Amino acid sequence: MSSRIPWRVRAGTATLAVLAGVGAFAAPGSASAASPPGAGRQAVSYHGYRIEVPADWQVVDLAENPQACLRFDRPAVYLGEPAEQSDCPAHLVGRTAGIVVEPLSARSAGQATAATARTARGKATAPTAVSSNDTIQIAVEDAGVLVTAAHTPATEDLVRGVLASAELTPGARRTELPRTVQRPDATALAAAGPQPGNYLGKGFDTCAAPSQAAMNAWRAGSPYSAVGVYISGSFRGCAQPNLTASWVTGQTGNGWRLIPIDVGRQAPCTSFSLKMSADPATAKSQGVTAAAAALTAAANLGIPAGSAVYSDIEGYASTASCKAAVLSYLSGWTERLHSGGYLSGFYSSASSGIKDAASEYGNSAYTRVDHIFYGWWNGTADTNTGSYVPSTYWAGHQRIHQYAGEVTESYGGYSINIDRDYLDVGTGTPPAPTCTGTNLDFTTYPTVQSGSTGDQVKAAQCLLKAAGYDPGTPDGAFGSSTTTATKNFQSGTGLTADGVIGPKSWTALLSRGSTPTVQNGSTGEAVTRLQRALTAALGRTVAVDGSFGPGTDQAVRDYQSSRALTVDGIVGSGTWGALQSGR
């Protein structure tokens, strides 16, 4: 794609006025709506809607350049209806600020969510409009336009100032946003199961979700059956005019697997403008916030619980403090996704972020991500990680390899710039695994190994299978397949890979799953898993009833004390991490 974006706009479709001069953009309310633009500003009008933007913003008329990429890595305003298929580079990361003003139509209305604001009669502004995923969206019905304004935390005030300058012009014509599209029926518009689900094969990712026609052509003619889509994040570089709940339903209904991606704060040791804190505690909190926004975006798109969402943290020159910040951010990211019933994924370069995560694989101070998605452009379509990650880590269908980048391919007449991926993924690490029909509740969890038989063996086999290490059909007989699965699980958990399921392996298997904070008075599945794991870890019976009472509280304190953890009776990330690593 050409990096040059024309400044002039089409006469009769959009008008542009620039007043020469330089200076800071004026604060909201510093000029009346009827005044000409002040120093350092330019007035832009479209469809009866007029705003004032900084003079150095690019202005793109989509009537003249319909396939222009709606990119936010440089300040710009886009006027008109975006083409169904835009010309975007595959790997565009970064955001400054940008605004899209397009006609209200059936297509654009599909982008509206519960966060979309509506202007009052005779008004072009909505002062109370909320920002969702660092995007403010306003339906200006008296002008018949949908305004989508992207920002970062640092540029939100600037963008709100631009929106506050809006006014209606004599050319405005009213079109109402259908009220039924603001809150789509998540049941009617939903992906065909968790994403990407169970899949082995090729996929691709690209900056902007392709059009339906392009997806159909590629489904018929390309070697790909999975597609990466950027669903959320303060640092997404491209607008997503095609990405709606209907789009998600259509693609998964046609057999596509989706790779949901969030692009948020980057490592503190980079030059990116949006970075996580170097303080681990703050970074973890920022990861929680990012995951909460990703959960909202996934729900709006109909991407259900059980799906994996991948945090995109671009490559960085690692240091000890930078690694600690990244892994803390990912801990918060993972814990919040788990609490919502989703899997956590992590995209980064194999040589930096992924290597760092692997180096602390068994460290209970961090909550481990469920899937890795690594950039290693070696041209080989497999999930080998070379020297970056041991083969036993994330070995339970938990890998995506981005093996080539920024290549243009064409199928059925549709050319797209993509990154090529190879997936070996599954639901092998669900937040809350269950073994329906298999008894997991015992007063003791004895050591079992090759030659052992009985209900405890069957329980162990079921837990291994749920963890993505398949011992075959759980039959209560500890044979060679169970030994192999046990060794693989132990290696992946950082335990001695001896094939014997003793207290440490039992503890790790029984505690595996989501890690919500539980304490005295809590109830539910997480408490049940906790009680089983404590029974194995302490070597004494803890009643398994799913209710966190005095007995469980004492057992938690005893466990925390014996493992040199903070003794408070509260099971948070630290205690869960210790249990899940088999301590």
Side-chain angles (χ1 to χ4, degrees), residues 29-43:
S30 63
S32 70
S35 300
R41 291 179 288 165
Q42 56 181 320

PDB file of all heavy atoms in Angstrom, residues 29-43:
ATOM      1  N   GLY A  29     -14.634  24.464  23.822  1.00  0.00           N
ATOM      2  CA  GLY A  29     -15.338  25.641  24.277  1.00  0.00           C
ATOM      3  C   GLY A  29     -14.578  26.932  24.078  1.00  0.00           C
ATOM      4  O   GLY A  29     -15.077  28.009  24.408  1.00  0.00           O
ATOM      5  N   SER A  30     -13.344  26.862  23.542  1.00  0.00           N
ATOM      6  CA  SER A  30     -12.569  28.084  23.386  1.00  0.00           C
ATOM      7  C   SER A  30     -12.991  28.895  22.176  1.00  0.00           C
ATOM      8  O   SER A  30     -12.599  30.037  22.026  1.00  0.00           O
ATOM      9  CB  SER A  30     -11.080  27.745  23.267  1.00  0.00           C
ATOM     10  OG  SER A  30     -10.847  26.965  22.105  1.00  0.00           O
ATOM     11  N   ALA A  31     -13.782  28.303  21.282  1.00  0.00           N
ATOM     12  CA  ALA A  31     -14.311  29.037  20.122  1.00  0.00           C
ATOM     13  C   ALA A  31     -15.739  28.589  19.901  1.00  0.00           C
ATOM     14  O   ALA A  31     -16.086  27.453  20.161  1.00  0.00           O
ATOM     15  CB  ALA A  31     -13.465  28.768  18.880  1.00  0.00           C
ATOM     16  N   SER A  32     -16.570  29.493  19.428  1.00  0.00           N
ATOM     17  CA  SER A  32     -17.962  29.119  19.192  1.00  0.00           C
ATOM     18  C   SER A  32     -18.046  28.237  17.959  1.00  0.00           C
ATOM     19  O   SER A  32     -17.179  28.251  17.094  1.00  0.00           O
ATOM     20  CB  SER A  32     -18.801  30.380  18.973  1.00  0.00           C
ATOM     21  OG  SER A  32     -18.480  30.986  17.724  1.00  0.00           O
ATOM     22  N   ALA A  33     -19.105  27.452  17.909  1.00  0.00           N
ATOM     23  CA  ALA A  33     -19.267  26.519  16.794  1.00  0.00           C
ATOM     24  C   ALA A  33     -19.355  27.241  15.470  1.00  0.00           C
ATOM     25  O   ALA A  33     -19.031  26.690  14.432  1.00  0.00           O
ATOM     26  CB  ALA A  33     -20.514  25.669  17.007  1.00  0.00           C
ATOM     27  N   ALA A  34     -19.800  28.522  15.482  1.00  0.00           N
ATOM     28  CA  ALA A  34     -19.970  29.238  14.230  1.00  0.00           C
ATOM     29  C   ALA A  34     -18.695  29.936  13.785  1.00  0.00           C
ATOM     30  O   ALA A  34     -18.610  30.456  12.678  1.00  0.00           O
ATOM     31  CB  ALA A  34     -21.088  30.264  14.369  1.00  0.00           C
ATOM     32  N   SER A  35     -17.691  29.985  14.652  1.00  0.00           N
ATOM     33  CA  SER A  35     -16.469  30.707  14.320  1.00  0.00           C
ATOM     34  C   SER A  35     -15.648  29.949  13.289  1.00  0.00           C
ATOM     35  O   SER A  35     -15.704  28.725  13.212  1.00  0.00           O
ATOM     36  CB  SER A  35     -15.634  30.897  15.587  1.00  0.00           C
ATOM     37  OG  SER A  35     -16.352  31.623  16.554  1.00  0.00           O
ATOM     38  N   PRO A  36     -14.843  30.686  12.481  1.00  0.00           N
ATOM     39  CA  PRO A  36     -13.911  29.992  11.586  1.00  0.00           C
ATOM     40  C   PRO A  36     -12.839  29.316  12.415  1.00  0.00           C
ATOM     41  O   PRO A  36     -12.633  29.658  13.580  1.00  0.00           O
ATOM     42  CB  PRO A  36     -13.340  31.129  10.739  1.00  0.00           C
ATOM     43  CG  PRO A  36     -13.475  32.333  11.598  1.00  0.00           C
ATOM     44  CD  PRO A  36     -14.747  32.146  12.366  1.00  0.00           C
ATOM     45  N   PRO A  37     -12.151  28.340  11.830  1.00  0.00           N
ATOM     46  CA  PRO A  37     -11.129  27.637  12.602  1.00  0.00           C
ATOM     47  C   PRO A  37     -10.031  28.584  13.047  1.00  0.00           C
ATOM     48  O   PRO A  37      -9.663  29.516  12.346  1.00  0.00           O
ATOM     49  CB  PRO A  37     -10.611  26.582  11.630  1.00  0.00           C
ATOM     50  CG  PRO A  37     -11.026  27.047  10.278  1.00  0.00           C
ATOM     51  CD  PRO A  37     -12.271  27.831  10.468  1.00  0.00           C
ATOM     52  N   GLY A  38      -9.498  28.299  14.224  1.00  0.00           N
ATOM     53  CA  GLY A  38      -8.437  29.129  14.766  1.00  0.00           C
ATOM     54  C   GLY A  38      -7.070  28.652  14.321  1.00  0.00           C
ATOM     55  O   GLY A  38      -6.941  27.721  13.526  1.00  0.00           O
ATOM     56  N   ALA A  39      -6.039  29.293  14.831  1.00  0.00           N
ATOM     57  CA  ALA A  39      -4.680  28.962  14.445  1.00  0.00           C
ATOM     58  C   ALA A  39      -4.379  27.498  14.731  1.00  0.00           C
ATOM     59  O   ALA A  39      -4.664  26.992  15.804  1.00  0.00           O
ATOM     60  CB  ALA A  39      -3.701  29.855  15.186  1.00  0.00           C
ATOM     61  N   GLY A  40      -3.777  26.842  13.738  1.00  0.00           N
ATOM     62  CA  GLY A  40      -3.389  25.452  13.911  1.00  0.00           C
ATOM     63  C   GLY A  40      -4.520  24.470  13.745  1.00  0.00           C
ATOM     64  O   GLY A  40      -4.368  23.301  14.077  1.00  0.00           O
ATOM     65  N   ARG A  41      -5.664  24.929  13.245  1.00  0.00           N
ATOM     66  CA  ARG A  41      -6.805  24.020  13.060  1.00  0.00           C
ATOM     67  C   ARG A  41      -7.312  24.084  11.622  1.00  0.00           C
ATOM     68  O   ARG A  41      -7.094  25.058  10.915  1.00  0.00           O
ATOM     69  CB  ARG A  41      -7.942  24.375  14.012  1.00  0.00           C
ATOM     70  CG  ARG A  41      -7.616  24.085  15.479  1.00  0.00           C
ATOM     71  CD  ARG A  41      -8.778  24.480  16.363  1.00  0.00           C
ATOM     72  NE  ARG A  41      -8.895  25.943  16.457  1.00  0.00           N
ATOM     73  CZ  ARG A  41      -9.980  26.562  16.916  1.00  0.00           C
ATOM     74  NH1 ARG A  41     -11.032  25.858  17.284  1.00  0.00           N
ATOM     75  NH2 ARG A  41     -10.020  27.877  16.992  1.00  0.00           N
ATOM     76  N   GLN A  42      -8.011  23.031  11.227  1.00  0.00           N
ATOM     77  CA  GLN A  42      -8.672  22.997   9.929  1.00  0.00           C
ATOM     78  C   GLN A  42     -10.097  22.497  10.121  1.00  0.00           C
ATOM     79  O   GLN A  42     -10.357  21.645  10.973  1.00  0.00           O
ATOM     80  CB  GLN A  42      -7.908  22.101   8.960  1.00  0.00           C
ATOM     81  CG  GLN A  42      -7.688  20.673   9.468  1.00  0.00           C
ATOM     82  CD  GLN A  42      -6.901  19.834   8.490  1.00  0.00           C
ATOM     83  OE1 GLN A  42      -7.118  19.924   7.285  1.00  0.00           O
ATOM     84  NE2 GLN A  42      -5.985  19.014   8.993  1.00  0.00           N
ATOM     85  N   ALA A  43     -11.009  23.066   9.369  1.00  0.00           N
ATOM     86  CA  ALA A  43     -12.417  22.652   9.457  1.00  0.00           C
ATOM     87  C   ALA A  43     -12.692  21.611   8.388  1.00  0.00           C
ATOM     88  O   ALA A  43     -12.309  21.767   7.223  1.00  0.00           O
ATOM     89  CB  ALA A  43     -13.324  23.859   9.271  1.00  0.00           C
TER      90      ALA A  43
END
